[in-house]
């Protein structure tokens, strides 16, 4: 359904003296999602996860520059195609509730999303009611404005808005943040159901436990690049995980050793070595010489000189 090859996202920023500086936030990113699959993207805050979702929809700010290849349903995802299929074939559950229009009633917003996605006008009310029921939103909420919603309700409205239509690819950016555990599990269960009915889901989260509840595969992001793609089942034990960063994330889980051994990850401006090497306990001279290639390893992929 979606195939991303060697994607980079750069921003132009102004520094002191109004000098222009280019920063590379996402670099050499590879990722693919198939029909029927939930692909989780995990990585720490600032890794570039939301930017990836925005790049796929073509809604990055103007000072962003994108390189690389993205294919959706086998065809290149050009800016023209992005604006034609945004909300129709690719839908976003955004990370921030500020994406709701503050001046429109919630029901109107969900109905608009349903119409935009191609649902017949006469079927829209019933479709919206089903979406409200699915996300435990009472009927009266349809008449409310976003400021009247609690944080968790607003998140459920965003999820209802993105999933009400017929989009084939759902980009879910931290869809469970601010939800209580039961509602969060239901929201994740719904994403799983959508995948089971032939859609593809990109589940973006910084929380591995959330990801593992429903994902088939997990792509691990570190400093804006893919360092490992592993099966969700590989996270059952340390033995199948190949990258030191993934292993450190696994070890930090409360259900495992609960050990946080890693230094904060910093984006290095040089492109000469492994992006993770400054935080890696296993680094040696080879790690500084070149960026490791993404190598196939079993059913997954890994980017490490020593894997
Ligand atoms: N418009 C912009 N101009 C310059 N830098 C930006 C811009 N938008 C985002 N960034 C930078 O890109 C990096 C990645 O941002 P992004 O929002 O994708 O992170 P994230 O992985 O989604 O983090 P979180 O888990 O906290 O949501 C951040 O360091 C951020 O400062
Ligand atoms: Mg984000």
């Amino acid at each position: 359904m979606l195939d991303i090859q060697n994607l980079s996202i750069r921003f132009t920023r102004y520094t002191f003296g109004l000098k222009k500086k280019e920063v590379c936030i996402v670099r050499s990113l590879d990722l693919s999602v198939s029909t029927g699959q939930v692909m989780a993207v995990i990585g720490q805050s600032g890794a570039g996860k939301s930017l990836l979702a925005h790049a796929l929809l073509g809604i990055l700010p103007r000072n962003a520059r994108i390189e690389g290849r993205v294919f959706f349903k086998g065809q290149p995802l050009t800016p023209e195609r992005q604006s034609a299929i945004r909300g129709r074939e690719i839908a976003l559950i955004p990370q921030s509730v500020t994406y709701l229009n503050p001046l429109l009633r919630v029901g109107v917003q969900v109905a608009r999303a349903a119409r935009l996605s191609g649902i017949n006008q006469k079927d829209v009310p019933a479709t919206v009611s089903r979406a409200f029921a699915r996300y435990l939103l009472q009927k009266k909420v349809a008449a409310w404005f976003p400021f009247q919603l609690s944080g968790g309700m607003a998140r459920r409205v965003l999820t209802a808005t993105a999933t009400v239509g017929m989009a084939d690819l759902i980009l879910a950016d931290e869809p469970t943040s601010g939800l209580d555990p039961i509602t969060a599990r239901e929201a994740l269960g719904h994403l799983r159901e959508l995948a089971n009915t032939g859609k593809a889901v990109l589940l973006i989260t910084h929380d591995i436990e959330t990801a593992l509840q429903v994902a088939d595969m997990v792509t691990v992001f570190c400093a804006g690049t893919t360092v490992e793609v592993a099966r969700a089942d590989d996270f059952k034990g340390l033995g199948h995980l190949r990258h030191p960063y993934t292993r450190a994330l696994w070890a930090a889980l409360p259900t495992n050793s609960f050990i946080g051994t890693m230094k904060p990850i910093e984006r290095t401006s040089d492109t000469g070595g492994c992006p993770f090497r400054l935080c890696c306990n296993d680094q040696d001279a080879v790690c500084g010489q070149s960026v490791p290639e993404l190598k196939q390893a079993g059913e997954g992929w890994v980017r490490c000189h020593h894997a």
Side-chain angles (χ1 to χ4, degrees):
M1 175 84 74
L2 179 73
D3 190 19
I4 303 172
Q5 298 169 3
N6 205 13
L7 183 81
S8 298
I9 305 174
R10 293 185 168 77
F11 283 101
T12 310
R13 286 180 184 159
Y14 286 93
T15 57
F16 286 115
L18 288 179
K19 283 189 191 132
K20 275 190 185 176
K21 185 184 170 203
E22 199 165 69
V23 283
C24 187
I25 304 285
V26 171
R27 176 179 292 156
S28 317
L29 189 141
D30 296 272
L31 191 153
S32 58
V33 196
S34 318
T35 303
Q37 195 179 49
V38 177
M39 169 63 86
V41 173
I42 58 169
Q44 69 178 39
S45 186
K49 305 181 298 295
S50 296
L51 289 180
L52 164 67
H54 297 180
L56 293 174
L57 287 169
I59 54 169
L60 284 174
R62 277 205 204 152
N63 63 334
R65 194 158 62 82
I66 304 179
E67 282 165 21
R69 288 179 299 279
V70 181
F71 297 90
F72 177 64
K73 295 183 181 173
Q75 300 295 320
L77 192 56
T78 56
E80 297 73 34
R81 201 162 162 233
Q82 279 173 327
S83 58
I85 64 177
R86 193 185 301 140
R88 292 186 174 86
E89 295 181 44
I90 306 181
L92 172 70
I93 304 173
Q95 181 172 14
S96 167
V97 295
T98 55
Y99 280 72
L100 286 170
N101 185 334
L103 303 175
L104 274 186
R105 291 180 196 278
V106 164
V108 176
Q109 302 197 40
V110 181
R112 261 180 147 184
R115 270 198 305 278
L116 177 68
S117 81
I119 290 176
N120 277 337
Q121 178 63 42
K122 67 173 174 42
D123 298 329
V124 167
T127 312
V128 171
S129 299
R130 276 200 298 277
F132 266 62
R134 190 183 305 143
Y135 293 101
L136 308 176
L137 295 161
Q138 291 172 298
K139 277 186 187 152
K140 64 179 180 190
V141 174
W144 291 7
F145 287 97
F147 76 89
Q148 294 171 287
L149 305 173
S150 72
M153 282 167 98
R155 183 136 288 286
R156 281 180 277 145
V157 169
L158 285 171
T159 308
T161 309
T163 55
V164 70
M166 302 192 290
D168 298 314
L169 174 64
I170 313 285
L171 310 174
D173 194 356
E174 308 278 2
T176 55
S177 66
L179 298 185
D180 63 79
I182 295 170
T183 320
R185 209 169 315 124
E186 276 176 9
L188 289 174
H190 248 104
L191 293 176
R192 182 69 257 173
E193 266 174 37
L194 288 171
N196 293 348
T197 56
K199 298 184 190 274
V201 177
L202 195 66
L203 170 62
I204 295 173
T205 176
H206 58 271
D207 179 3
I208 306 183
E209 284 176 312
T210 298
L212 296 182
Q213 285 180 40
V214 288
D216 301 294
M217 299 288 289
V218 179
T219 294
V220 184
F221 255 39
C222 171
T225 195
T226 314
V227 292
E228 178 156 8
V229 182
R231 291 181 317 141
D233 282 350
D234 291 347
F235 282 77
K236 285 185 180 153
L238 202 50
H240 294 291
L241 300 175
R242 297 166 184 97
H243 198 279
Y245 178 58
T246 320
R247 289 206 292 265
L249 288 176
W250 184 90
L253 287 175
T255 43
N256 301 329
S257 337
F258 213 178
I259 312 170
T261 49
M262 243 180 340
K263 291 179 253 169
I265 294 171
E266 286 174 34
R267 256 191 198 83
T268 51
S269 51
D270 70 288
T271 53
C274 171
F276 182 60
R277 71 184 186 284
L278 299 181
C279 317
C280 184
N281 297 328
D282 305 338
Q283 71 138 331
D284 59 18
V286 182
C287 304
Q289 286 167 7
S290 60
V291 179
E293 293 287 316
L294 199 60
K295 295 179 279 196
Q296 183 139 28
E299 286 179 48
W301 296 80
V302 63
R303 190 190 292 282
C304 175
H305 285 301
H306 300 295

